[in-house]
Amino acid sequence: MQIYWTKISKIIEEAADVKTYMLDCPEGFTWEEGSHTHFALEGFNAGDKPNRSLIRHMSISTLPHENSIGITTRIREQCSEFKAILRRLEVGNEVAIFKTHSNVPLKREDKNVYLLSSGVGLATFRPLVLDYFERADKVNQIHSLNIDSSRDFLFTTTFASAPDKKFTSQFTDNRQDYYEEVKKLAADKEGLFYVVGSDEFLVQNIEVLREQGVKPEQIMLDKHQHQVADFLSYDLSM
């Protein structure tokens, strides 16, 4: 396993409690849209065993051509040790990244794509949308639906409806409106539904989609394959 140590080049305040940490690209480090990485703080590997409290599984919110690795995260006032340390970091501080992989690359199967996310989960989808804008091959259209009760919606420049590019974007601030919209989108029985958020959010979305007749193979989750099987084994008869 290769560990890449790199420096924070910029810190962007995306919203009141959301920051994007832009990291220098280490030589030889590559990734694709929908990628996540293990993001670790200094000292995580100082002992005999890795200090897991200093490691988090994070999505990369940028594409390689942007020449920077973006890690977008929400840091609330009451937060974990990891987030508390992260909040104190400054430009020039070192962090580590390793075990980078994409569970949700953009599928190009001549179908409509629906991106369903909660809050900062939108960061996972930003690279997919940018990749689609650059190359729309074999994607009919993309629709993004995000719920964020803070109403401080993220990446509004990227997630702005662009009819000429066959891209539409929707934001909602409450669950009732959000799930009503999900039901409408699920009327597309051939569409591909990507879901990113907390485990509870994934379960609720899967339940709504399955009840509307969407098949498990049409649902994409930012999880390892064995975890995906567990989430999609939801029994409609229960």
Side-chain angles (χ1 to χ4, degrees):
M1 178 186 74
Q2 183 164 3
I3 297 172
Y4 295 90
W5 285 97
T6 185
K7 290 184 178 180
I8 298 171
S9 60
K10 188 177 182 181
I11 301 174
I12 302 169
E13 298 271 352
E14 303 285 3
D17 57 356
V18 177
K19 297 175 189 278
T20 294
Y21 292 83
M22 302 297 275
L23 314 178
D24 291 334
C25 289
E27 188 174 343
F29 182 83
T30 59
W31 74 99
E32 63 179 337
E33 79 279 1
S35 285
H36 63 257
T37 191
H38 286 70
F39 180 66
L41 306 179
E42 195 171 350
F44 86 95
N45 60 347
D48 294 336
K49 294 181 179 179
N51 181 349
R52 298 191 181 282
S53 67
L54 297 179
I55 306 170
R56 284 293 182 278
H57 191 260
M58 298 280 202
S59 292
I60 299 179
S61 58
T62 52
L63 282 175
H65 73 74
E66 295 179 86
N67 298 317
S68 195
I69 301 161
I71 303 292
T72 304
T73 188
R74 192 181 298 275
I75 306 178
R76 302 187 190 279
E77 193 61 38
Q78 299 295 322
C79 60
S80 64
E81 175 193 7
F82 178 93
K83 294 284 182 81
I85 295 171
L86 185 58
R87 181 162 48 198
R88 295 195 295 269
L89 294 187
E90 300 174 347
V91 170
N93 286 149
E94 277 200 331
V95 295
I97 48 178
F98 55 94
K99 285 188 180 177
T100 304
H101 175 72
S102 178
N103 292 319
V104 284
L106 182 59
K107 286 181 177 285
R108 297 177 181 276
E109 299 180 354
D110 292 312
K111 294 180 179 178
N112 298 331
V113 172
Y114 302 94
L115 308 177
L116 310 178
S117 60
S118 172
V120 78
L122 204 64
T124 304
F125 290 148
R126 179 181 177 274
L128 273 72
V129 172
L130 293 179
D131 190 56
Y132 167 71
F133 286 163
E134 290 168 16
R135 186 170 65 92
D137 306 9
K138 294 195 169 187
V139 179
N140 289 350
Q141 61 181 354
I142 292 184
H143 181 91
S144 169
L145 175 63
N146 177 263
I147 176 174
D148 194 335
S149 59
S150 74
R151 298 192 180 191
D152 211 346
F153 303 122
L154 301 175
F155 307 121
T156 50
T157 302
T158 301
F159 288 87
S161 292
D164 58 316
K165 296 178 180 178
K166 295 185 178 179
F167 175 74
T168 49
S169 180
Q170 251 182 309
F171 291 93
T172 181
D173 61 4
N174 67 85
R175 292 190 179 204
Q176 183 174 347
D177 289 350
Y178 172 84
Y179 285 113
E180 283 304 314
E181 291 302 323
V182 172
K183 288 177 184 176
K184 292 176 188 175
L185 299 178
D188 182 352
K189 302 309 179 196
E190 299 298 320
L192 299 175
F193 296 84
Y194 289 68
V195 192
V196 170
S198 67
D199 286 356
E200 179 192 13
F201 181 76
L202 299 187
V203 169
Q204 290 171 345
N205 276 271
I206 291 166
E207 184 173 345
V208 172
L209 291 170
R210 294 292 308 282
E211 285 174 347
Q212 300 303 310
V214 174
K215 299 180 181 69
E217 56 268 27
Q218 293 171 256
I219 303 173
M220 315 300 149
L221 307 177
D222 188 15
K223 296 284 186 183
H224 289 298
Q225 204 53 50
H226 67 279
Q227 294 172 300
V228 170
D230 290 340
F231 275 97
L232 295 181
S233 61
Y234 170 75
D235 186 351
L236 286 174
S237 66
M238 289 175 65

